[in-house]
Amino acid sequence: MESLGDAKFTETSILNEFKPLDPEEFRKQAYQTIDFIVDYYKNIETHPVLSQVKPGYFQSTLPSTPPYKPEPFEKILKDVQTQIIPGMTNWLSPNFFAYFPATVSTAAFMGEMLSTCFNSVGFNWLASPAATELEMVVMDWFADMLKLPSTFKFSGSGGGVIQGTTSEAILCTLVAARDRALDRIGSNNIGKLIVYGSDQTHSTFVKACKIAGILACNIRSLPTTIDLDFSLCPSLVCAAVEADVANGFVPIYLCLTVGTTSSNAVDPIDQFSDVATDYGIWLHVDAAYAGSACICPEFRHYLNGIERVDSLSLSPHKWFLTYLDCCCLWVKNPSLLIRALSTNPEYLKNKPSESNLVVDYKDWQVGTGRKFRSLKLWLVLRSYGVENLQSHIRSDVRMAEMFEDFVRNDSQFEIVVPRRFALVCFRWNPDSSLAPAGINVEIMNRKLLDWINSTGKIYMTHTIVGGVYMLRLAVGATLTEEPHVIAAWNLIKEAADTLLVKVMQIC
């Protein structure tokens, strides 16, 4: 029988053998993982783009409790292949045309690996000087590529920060705008604060307003129309602001969008600056998807007027090859952001911070801890250069133009709103010579989309704008090439022909 002393010795020995970060074991497993990832990328087209599993599929395949003893890494990796991948909607597939793309690249992956390697928690300058100062440099580089004024750069009077997502960027600027107003009118008047967007503004805007304490009844979602391609009408904003002020409310924030999610509508930035200035409204521009295209001279005009806004955000993880998550936010007056978001507990006090000569990014965001995100953006910029990044954007736009031509040249289909950037909004609308009278176009398009996505060959999404149900094809996945776009169109045509035959048979 084992003595108590022997048992303690055995347990101690096991604990001493446990090495959660053994360099050589790390090397072995890292090579295995890289091989797995490379094979996944090479063979990604063999998997359905939209996962075909049913709800609850995963729980039934796993034990109800975690393993008590360690399992071999090879077995875990095999389970990733057999259990995880079937439940993945493959955003990196070249046949992914849904939502907006989540782009990747070799350079960004290396940056992500290095960021994970260092595991920096760069809440202030002292916690990781390189993490802070590289972010400042990269944000100024990107600002130069976008031809932003010096008021948005650290080399000027502003500055930039990398948030996780647009949701965080909007929330942070909204809180700064809220506190600026409450400093003036008193915190007990928060119920008077009014914010504005359009009915095409991303839903994250309303969520941010709720978190920031803006009353739901004080969120103005102004209507857009097809006459203006669903962009926000400046005169409508002026009228709404004037009416609210007349009724004793305090306008504080207007969210404009360059490239709305539904149809890529663009709000004319330069036409809103006067009303924002006159009424002290914080003017924010959300260019999450389309902003990356503005590094190309032919798209830069969409940022005309940016010199008069308070903040701008865009997400390199959407179209700039940078992996989720990475959202760049520039602000003209960082002190307003810092005043609203700063914390200064005793255990974080240090001489560099107290000198006011450094940036502490914890005061530019909601949380305290933060990843070393600038590494991957730095590697993308250095590895590819502006020229290749512009070429990448233009290539996606050309493929979208090609798809748009397919739609325009087919009498059964129509473009619903003008194409901007690399998103095509269209619908199936067969003429009376082919389809029965009284056919419900929306129902037919819904059936068409379901048929297409059920094949697993491509994945698209829909939207409803101006009461019109339409299909969205967003070109931009990193691996997408012209043959994939052509194949997508052929599949859409095949699906439409098949459904039309079925409808005719029923009728």
Side-chain angles (χ1 to χ4, degrees), residues 117-427:
C117 159
F118 295 126
N119 201 31
S120 168
V121 189
F123 40 76
N124 60 22
W125 181 89
L126 192 61
S128 273
T132 296
E133 297 198 10
L134 180 61
E135 188 160 335
M136 295 169 69
V137 169
V138 164
M139 291 301 292
D140 273 9
W141 279 8
F142 207 166
D144 284 335
M145 293 167 63
L146 293 165
K147 292 183 168 45
L148 299 185
S150 62
T151 49
F152 282 110
K153 298 191 293 186
F154 286 106
S155 59
S157 55
V161 56
I162 302 178
Q163 306 279 354
T165 63
T166 301
S167 308
E168 298 166 50
I170 290 178
L171 178 59
C172 289
T173 53
L174 181 61
V175 168
R178 179 200 66 189
D179 285 8
R180 180 177 68 173
L182 293 179
D183 284 345
R184 187 177 76 252
I185 66 172
S187 58
N188 59 320
N189 288 310
I190 191 171
K192 293 182 177 181
L193 304 184
I194 306 289
V195 299
Y196 305 86
S198 82
D199 57 8
Q200 300 303 303
T201 302
H202 198 280
S203 59
T204 194
F205 175 57
V206 173
K207 181 185 290 189
C209 291
K210 291 179 179 179
I211 295 172
I214 306 299
L215 299 179
C217 59
N218 289 356
I219 303 171
R220 304 285 186 258
S221 182
L222 303 176
T224 58
T225 64
I226 196 167
D227 296 338
L228 295 177
D229 296 334
F230 301 105
S231 64
L232 187 57
C233 176
S235 61
L236 196 61
V237 173
C238 286
V241 169
E242 289 171 359
D244 283 329
V245 171
N247 287 315
F249 292 106
V250 180
I252 65 162
Y253 193 93
L254 170 59
C255 185
L256 303 179
T257 308
V258 173
T260 61
T261 301
S262 281
S263 65
N264 253 342
V266 175
D267 297 331
I269 299 171
D270 54 354
Q271 297 181 39
F272 293 94
S273 52
D274 285 344
V275 67
T277 300
D278 292 345
Y279 291 95
I281 298 171
W282 185 294
L283 196 55
H284 177 75
V285 174
D286 167 16
Y289 160 70
S292 294
C294 295
I295 67 168
C296 301
E298 64 268 31
F299 297 119
R300 176 56 179 77
H301 66 278
Y302 289 116
L303 292 182
N304 285 353
I306 200 69
E307 67 278 358
R308 295 189 64 188
V309 310
D310 295 282
S311 53
L312 163 70
S313 62
L314 65 84
S315 298
H317 59 243
K318 289 187 181 293
W319 205 4
F320 213 70
L321 305 174
T322 313
Y323 280 91
L324 194 70
D325 53 9
C326 183
C327 175
C328 294
L329 168 66
W330 291 271
V331 290
K332 185 177 289 184
N333 190 342
S335 65
L336 294 175
L337 205 64
I338 294 168
R339 190 181 309 158
L341 300 172
S342 66
T343 55
N344 193 29
E346 184 62 36
Y347 51 80
L348 292 183
K349 290 180 179 179
N350 61 87
K351 290 182 179 180
S353 295
E354 291 168 1
S355 72
N356 293 320
L357 297 176
V358 300
V359 168
D360 288 344
Y361 271 127
K362 69 178 175 60
D363 299 330
W364 294 54
Q365 62 178 31
V366 174
T368 299
R370 60 198 324 271
K371 293 178 65 177
F372 196 170
R373 294 189 184 98
S374 58
L375 261 176
K376 56 185 176 182
L377 191 53
W378 187 50
L379 262 71
V380 166
L381 295 176
R382 292 192 61 187
S383 299
Y384 305 134
V386 177
E387 183 180 36
N388 278 321
L389 292 168
Q390 290 174 333
S391 177
H392 154 68
I393 297 289
R394 289 167 176 150
S395 174
D396 289 343
V397 173
R398 280 195 301 271
M399 286 189 283
E401 289 173 342
M402 179 180 70
F403 185 86
E404 179 187 30
D405 288 340
F406 293 155
V407 175
R408 290 193 185 280
N409 293 325
D410 192 303
S411 61
Q412 289 196 62
F413 291 84
E414 61 184 4
I415 297 293
V416 182
V417 295
R419 179 199 52 77
R420 284 197 181 92
F421 308 106
L423 173 68
V424 182
C425 295
F426 68 106
R427 68 173 181 167

Side-chain angles (χ1 to χ4, degrees), residues 34-56:
I34 288 294
D35 285 342
F36 180 92
I37 293 169
V38 171
D39 288 341
Y40 169 70
Y41 286 168
K42 286 179 64 177
N43 301 312
I44 196 167
E45 288 189 78
T46 65
H47 305 295
V49 187
L50 178 63
S51 175
Q52 304 294 302
V53 301
K54 303 296 182 184

